[in-house]
Amino acid sequence: MLKGKQALITGGAGEMASTIAATLAKQGAAIILVDLNAEALETVKADLVERFGVPVHTYVHNLCDFDGLAEMVDTMERECGAIDILVNVAGITNTITYRDITPADWDKMMSINLKAPFFLTRELFFRMEERGFGRIVTLGSISGERGAKYAGPHYSISKAGLICFTKVLAKLAGDSGVTANTVSPGIIASRMTDSLGSQVYSYDVPMNRMGTPQEVADAVLYLVSPLANYVTGQNLSVNGGQSMR
């Protein structure tokens, strides 16, 4: 479904991003990965090339280097060609309580989770508009839909901001050929949930299990594929029924 398209995925060395990259590569997309971990990026790249035989490029960049984002995107498109798909995955979480959050904690969370995708997306949004095609998917969270009790409140606020940002983008894009959507996972089995000691209870999650990174990646694939040509400004919840609306 994605032959001839090229996708930029942030946080590319991480478990979720690498699963999304593999899912898009399986459908023929060329892949660009950006992360701070050069060694892990090369491991993911080698795996994708071996399994799917698609072009894969990696870039080491701090997405909070806001002044360098334009140059980074210029370099990517000069070296790799036009970017058709952007998947904003990079982000952080923590369990700092409302009582204990410092201004520095707040600024770090907002810089990585909200400010970085806001300004990186801007570097690509208008290029996509000019070319008449683009697919932008940003990872939100169930915490951004309903708030979280155990994650830091600034995390929930940052993810709520991304969900609203997506709606703004979709309205700005109009009929330009660019769509913008959010995928908001619930409790997903991963190294992060392992470290947080997350558990699932049937009264909270009707499907009575954690989701998988692959199930999140499949939702992303749907939104960037031709199957979702008339879908924009939406927040697709992947949470086993934990949040319903």
Side-chain angles (χ1 to χ4, degrees):
M1 289 192 288
L2 300 179
K3 188 174 182 180
K5 303 300 183 186
Q6 180 160 243
L8 168 59
I9 303 169
T10 70
E15 183 177 9
M16 185 68 74
S18 61
T19 303
I20 292 169
T23 302
L24 304 191
K26 187 177 181 179
Q27 294 296 323
I31 302 296
I32 301 174
L33 303 171
V34 61
D35 201 288
L36 283 172
N37 190 329
E39 183 178 352
L41 275 178
E42 292 309 306
T43 299
V44 174
K45 175 181 178 178
D47 176 67
L48 294 175
V49 171
E50 179 180 358
R51 292 167 62 194
F52 307 110
V54 298
V56 180
H57 297 86
T58 60
Y59 292 86
V60 177
H61 188 87
N62 181 354
L63 296 177
C64 291
D65 172 17
F66 304 110
D67 292 336
L69 291 177
E71 182 180 355
M72 180 190 77
V73 173
D74 283 340
T75 299
M76 288 174 173
E77 293 211 324
R78 183 175 64 252
E79 295 177 349
C80 310
I83 295 168
D84 307 290
I85 297 165
L86 170 62
V87 187
N88 290 305
V89 181
I92 60 171
T93 187
N94 60 46
T95 56
I96 299 174
T97 66
Y98 184 29
R99 184 181 298 276
D100 295 328
I101 291 171
T102 67
D105 295 326
W106 171 276
D107 289 344
K108 180 179 179 180
M109 181 69 71
M110 295 302 160
S111 290
I112 296 172
N113 282 14
L114 187 55
K115 189 175 179 180
F118 180 94
F119 285 104
L120 173 60
T121 299
R122 189 175 69 175
E123 292 302 326
L124 281 163
F125 179 77
F126 295 105
R127 298 171 193 239
M128 290 175 171
E129 270 200 326
E130 290 174 5
R131 294 191 284 253
F133 181 87
R135 296 290 178 264
I136 299 167
V137 177
T138 301
L139 257 61
S141 169
I142 189 173
S143 298
E145 297 175 347
R146 67 178 197 177
K149 183 176 181 179
Y150 299 109
H154 52 335
Y155 172 76
S156 295
I157 294 165
S158 72
K159 292 297 186 176
L162 290 175
I163 293 169
C164 186
F165 172 48
T166 288
K167 296 175 183 179
V168 172
L169 278 177
K171 290 181 178 181
L172 290 174
D175 62 355
S176 66
V178 179
T179 66
N181 294 285
T182 310
V183 172
S184 286
I187 303 175
I188 305 299
S190 66
R191 289 186 291 272
M192 184 178 75
T193 52
D194 287 345
S195 67
L196 294 175
S198 299
Q199 297 182 42
V200 169
Y201 303 97
S202 59
Y203 62 79
D204 185 37
V205 183
M207 293 187 72
N208 200 28
R209 66 172 177 85
M210 292 187 184
T212 68
Q214 185 60 59
E215 288 168 325
V216 176
D218 289 341
V220 173
L221 172 61
Y222 164 68
L223 290 171
V224 304
S225 79
L227 297 174
N229 281 344
Y230 196 54
V231 179
T232 193
Q234 302 305 307
N235 177 49
L236 179 53
S237 301
V238 183
N239 60 40
Q242 189 177 17
S243 173
M244 300 186 187
R245 62 187 188 281

